[in-house]
Amino acid sequence: MAFRLKLPGGMLKIKTYRELRERERARRVPVLKLGRIYIIWWPD
């Protein structure tokens, strides 16, 4: 289950690998991997 947090300037998402979208897997948006968890920043 993905966690989403709307922040000024964009959306912060926390997901596992199988929940990642293609753009996130290709690292076209900022992605930080911490163990099995991925932290993704989607700017507005």
Side-chain angles (χ1 to χ4, degrees), residues 4-13 40-44:
R4 290 178 222 95
L5 181 61
K6 181 70 173 161
L7 296 171
M11 176 89 60
L12 182 69
K13 297 182 180 182
I40 304 106
W41 175 251
W42 280 88
D44 284 342

Side-chain angles (χ1 to χ4, degrees), residues 7-43:
L7 296 171
M11 176 89 60
L12 182 69
K13 297 182 180 182
I14 301 173
K15 300 180 176 183
T16 60
Y17 183 79
R18 64 181 186 81
E19 296 170 320
L20 294 179
R21 295 167 61 181
E22 182 60 35
R23 288 184 65 191
E24 296 164 347
R25 286 184 181 164
R27 308 272 174 129
R28 293 188 199 130
V29 293
V31 176
L32 175 65
K33 182 179 185 222
L34 297 173
R36 297 176 62 189
I37 302 296
Y38 290 81
I39 300 173
I40 304 106
W41 175 251
W42 280 88

